[in-house]
């Protein structure tokens, strides 16, 4: 071994130079990377943020004249709430009947995708989907409380969506008027004979019942009813109830106002959405639409509960309207015919039969409880009020 000591300085200097060069090269390489190329996690977060920031502009067409009390206002309220809940990310422009499509063209327009949403009543589409009528209202059927119990917790919503699936539509309940009035008549109804030859605006299955009772039913949009009744095109018309009827001025052209609303005991409005459009929304916006529709269903019902009583008081006390109850004979006749219509329709239409059986089962079960709860309570309350 060489006894001379080894000089390490040159070797150390070389090592330091190599290390410095490597560090410098690494820094240059890092700086040369594109600044917009995030990691996979960051990229996912960035894409998610971009989607959530996207603003959607949709159109809603309705079957109601613009800003009609209850119905039209309900559609406007639904659009407003969705806008507010989404922070402006889903903005909906509402069109009244005939502004963009005819009152009875809502279903086809939304199905085709020419607009994203529609607000209407499912019984208007009886020619396309006869069973859809159960999701608005049917003669001697469920009231609002029972109907929403069936739709939301009794399997009704699943059946409804099954019916609409072939049309690329997703339905939601979106409002309720409560029990309606039987309508406005220009002559007294004292017996079944008085129905014969009577021409009346009355849609859905109730129209079919009315025809079999000897009358003639026609389906006229709400915006055309006043003129039709005034000019004698029709002899009678049902629309909704006191709030809407007072606003339309029917008390000026018809003498008698009949109850009860045997034909529509608790009609639900519907929100229909083009399925392709709905599925294009982020999940949070889908949830907002779903729960906004449900909230506005109750809101419309609450509104009618409050305003119908005030409007009825105005009609009777200040407008001189004569309130009449349909004779029991007439109501019994309508009931018997309605049961015949359901049985015949179910025998020839499997879809109708499937929905009808579910509907009828829930109504019968609910009725057993309503008899000792809501119905009995109303009777007792009235007895005590009269006896006081």
């Amino acid at each position: 071994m060489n006894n001379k000591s080894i000089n390490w300085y040159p070797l150390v200097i070389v090592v330091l130079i190599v290390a410095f060069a490597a560090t410098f090269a690494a820094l240059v390489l890092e700086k040369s990377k594109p600044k917009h190329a995030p990691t996979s996690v960051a990229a996912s977060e960035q894409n998610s943020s971009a989607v959530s920031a996207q603003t959607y502009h949709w159109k809603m067409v309705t079957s109601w004249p613009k800003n009609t009390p209850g119905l039209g206002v309900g559609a406007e309220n639904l659009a407003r709430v969705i806008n507010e809940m989404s922070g402006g990310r889903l903005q909906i422009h509402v069109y009244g009947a005939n502004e963009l499509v005819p009152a009875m063209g809502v279903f086809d327009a939304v199905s085709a995708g020419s607009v994203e949403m529609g607000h209407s009543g499912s019984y208007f589409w009886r020619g396309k989907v006869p069973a859809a009528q159960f999701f608005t209202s049917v003669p001697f059927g469920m009231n609002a409380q029972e109907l929403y119990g069936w739709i939301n917790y009794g399997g009704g919503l699943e059946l409804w969506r099954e019916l609409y699936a072939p049309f690329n539509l997703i339905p939601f309940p979106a409002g309720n008027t409560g029990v309606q009035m039987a309508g406005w008549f220009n002559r007294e109804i004292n017996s079944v004979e008085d129905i014969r030859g009577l021409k009346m605006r009355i849609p859905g299955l109730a129209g079919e019942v009315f025809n079999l009772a000897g009358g003639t039913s026609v389906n006229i949009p709400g915006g055309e009813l006043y003129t039709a009744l005034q000019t004698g095109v029709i002899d009678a018309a049902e629309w909704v109830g006191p709030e809407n009827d007072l606003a339309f001025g029917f008390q000026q052209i018809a003498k008698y106002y009949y109850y009860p609303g045997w034909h529509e005991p608790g009609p639900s409005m519907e929100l229909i959405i083009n399925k392709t459009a709905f599925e294009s929304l982020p999940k949070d916006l889908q949830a907002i639409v779903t729960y906004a529709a449900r909230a506005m269903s109750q809101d419309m019902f609450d509104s009618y509960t409050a305003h119908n009583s005030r409007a009825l008081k105005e009609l009777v006390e200040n407008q001189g309207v004569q309130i009449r109850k349909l004779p029991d004979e007439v109501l019994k006749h309508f009931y018997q015919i309605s049961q015949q219509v359901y049985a015949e329709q179910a025998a020839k239409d499997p879809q109708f039969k499937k929905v009808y059986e579910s509907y009828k089962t829930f109504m019968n079960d609910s009725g057993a409880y309503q008899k000792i709860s809501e119905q009995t309570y109303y009777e007792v309350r009235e007895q005590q009020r009269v006896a006081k």
Side-chain angles (χ1 to χ4, degrees), residues 334-352:
F334 285 158
Y335 177 82
Q336 291 172 338
I337 294 173
S338 70
Q339 304 311 298
Q340 172 189 336
V341 168
Y342 301 149
E344 291 176 354
Q345 188 70 43
K348 62 183 181 182
D349 184 342
Q351 282 187 328
F352 189 98

Side-chain angles (χ1 to χ4, degrees), residues 284-297:
D284 65 323
L285 290 185
Q286 292 181 9
I288 284 172
V289 171
T290 299
Y291 290 104
R294 189 157 178 176
M296 289 301 97
S297 289

Side-chain angles (χ1 to χ4, degrees), residues 138-149:
V138 295
F140 302 99
M142 291 190 271
N143 64 15
Q145 182 176 331
E146 295 171 307
L147 182 65
Y148 281 152

Side-chain angles (χ1 to χ4, degrees), residues 169-238:
L169 294 172
I170 302 177
F172 301 80
N176 202 297
T177 70
V179 180
Q180 295 194 357
M181 292 290 285
W184 296 87
F185 293 74
N186 277 322
R187 70 185 190 204
E188 289 187 84
I189 304 299
N190 296 311
S191 69
V192 171
E193 288 298 320
D194 293 320
I195 300 298
R196 295 193 171 96
L198 197 71
K199 193 171 185 180
M200 181 176 184
R201 186 272 182 186
I202 182 167
L205 286 165
E208 191 169 341
V209 171
F210 194 77
N211 290 337
L212 291 173
T216 300
S217 68
V218 294
N219 190 11
I220 300 174
E224 302 172 18
L225 278 180
Y226 185 94
T227 301
L229 190 57
Q230 182 184 40
T231 58
V233 171
I234 53 177
D235 306 304
E238 67 78 39

Side-chain angles (χ1 to χ4, degrees), residues 66 69 80 93 97 111 162 165 173 178 186 198 205-206 213 220 228 239 243 320 322 327 353 360:
K66 188 74 170 179
R80 174 182 54 79
H93 186 90
S111 177
E162 181 182 313
N186 277 322
L198 197 71
L205 286 165
I220 300 174
W239 179 225
E243 181 187 15
Q322 297 184 41
K353 180 180 180 181
K360 183 169 62 172

Side-chain angles (χ1 to χ4, degrees), residues 24-340:
F24 180 77
L27 288 172
V28 171
L29 182 61
E30 180 64 27
K31 285 181 175 290
S32 68
K33 288 182 178 180
K35 293 183 179 181
H36 63 275
T39 62
S40 59
V41 174
S44 176
E45 292 176 351
Q46 188 177 36
N47 290 338
S48 176
S49 177
V51 169
S52 64
Q54 182 176 348
T55 300
Y56 297 82
H57 295 272
W58 280 15
K59 297 181 182 71
M60 180 197 294
V61 292
T62 78
S63 293
W64 331 118
K66 188 74 170 179
N67 290 320
T68 299
L71 303 175
V73 171
E76 296 283 356
N77 285 342
L78 176 58
R80 174 182 54 79
V81 167
I82 290 173
N83 180 39
E84 291 175 355
M85 292 175 68
S86 68
R89 290 164 51 213
L90 180 52
Q91 299 178 17
I92 301 164
H93 186 90
V94 180
Y95 295 87
N98 299 316
E99 286 190 329
L100 200 59
V101 302
M104 300 305 166
V106 172
F107 187 97
D108 289 340
V110 181
S111 177
S114 55
V115 296
E116 293 83 8
M117 310 173 87
H119 194 276
S120 190
S122 65
Y123 61 5
F124 291 141
W125 328 130
R126 60 178 297 192
K128 303 177 188 297
V129 192
Q133 296 172 98
F134 287 103
F135 300 97
T136 298
S137 195
V138 295
F140 302 99
M142 291 190 271
N143 64 15
Q145 182 176 331
E146 295 171 307
L147 182 65
Y148 281 152
W150 174 61
I151 289 175
N152 291 320
Y153 291 101
L157 185 60
E158 291 77 10
L159 290 170
W160 197 0
R161 292 186 172 172
E162 181 182 313
L163 286 177
Y164 280 23
F167 301 93
N168 199 37
L169 294 172
I170 302 177
F172 301 80
N176 202 297
T177 70
V179 180
Q180 295 194 357
M181 292 290 285
W184 296 87
F185 293 74
N186 277 322
R187 70 185 190 204
E188 289 187 84
I189 304 299
N190 296 311
S191 69
V192 171
E193 288 298 320
D194 293 320
I195 300 298
R196 295 193 171 96
L198 197 71
K199 193 171 185 180
M200 181 176 184
R201 186 272 182 186
I202 182 167
L205 286 165
E208 191 169 341
V209 171
F210 194 77
N211 290 337
L212 291 173
T216 300
S217 68
V218 294
N219 190 11
I220 300 174
E224 302 172 18
L225 278 180
Y226 185 94
T227 301
L229 190 57
Q230 182 184 40
T231 58
V233 171
I234 53 177
D235 306 304
E238 67 78 39
W239 179 225
V240 181
E243 181 187 15
N244 289 115
D245 295 348
L246 176 63
F248 274 39
F250 292 136
Q251 72 279 4
Q252 302 166 3
I253 54 174
K255 189 173 182 180
Y256 305 107
Y257 198 25
Y258 277 92
Y259 72 95
W262 60 275
H263 62 303
E264 294 189 38
S268 174
M269 304 305 106
E270 68 174 6
L271 171 68
I272 49 176
I273 302 180
N274 180 273
K275 184 173 184 288
T276 304
F278 185 75
E279 291 178 346
S280 74
L281 294 176
K283 294 296 184 183
D284 65 323
L285 290 185
Q286 292 181 9
I288 284 172
V289 171
T290 299
Y291 290 104
R294 189 157 178 176
M296 289 301 97
S297 289
Q298 186 64 43
D299 183 76
M300 185 187 290
F301 184 49
D302 296 345
S303 174
Y304 271 112
T305 300
H307 292 114
N308 273 338
S309 55
R310 299 170 192 161
L312 182 64
K313 186 175 182 180
E314 168 66 21
L315 287 168
V316 174
E317 295 184 2
N318 298 322
Q319 303 285 331
V321 171
Q322 297 184 41
I323 304 293
R324 301 287 179 89
K325 181 180 181 293
L326 285 172
D328 291 342
E329 171 194 337
V330 172
L331 291 171
K332 181 179 180 181
H333 192 55
F334 285 158
Y335 177 82
Q336 291 172 338
I337 294 173
S338 70
Q339 304 311 298
Q340 172 189 336

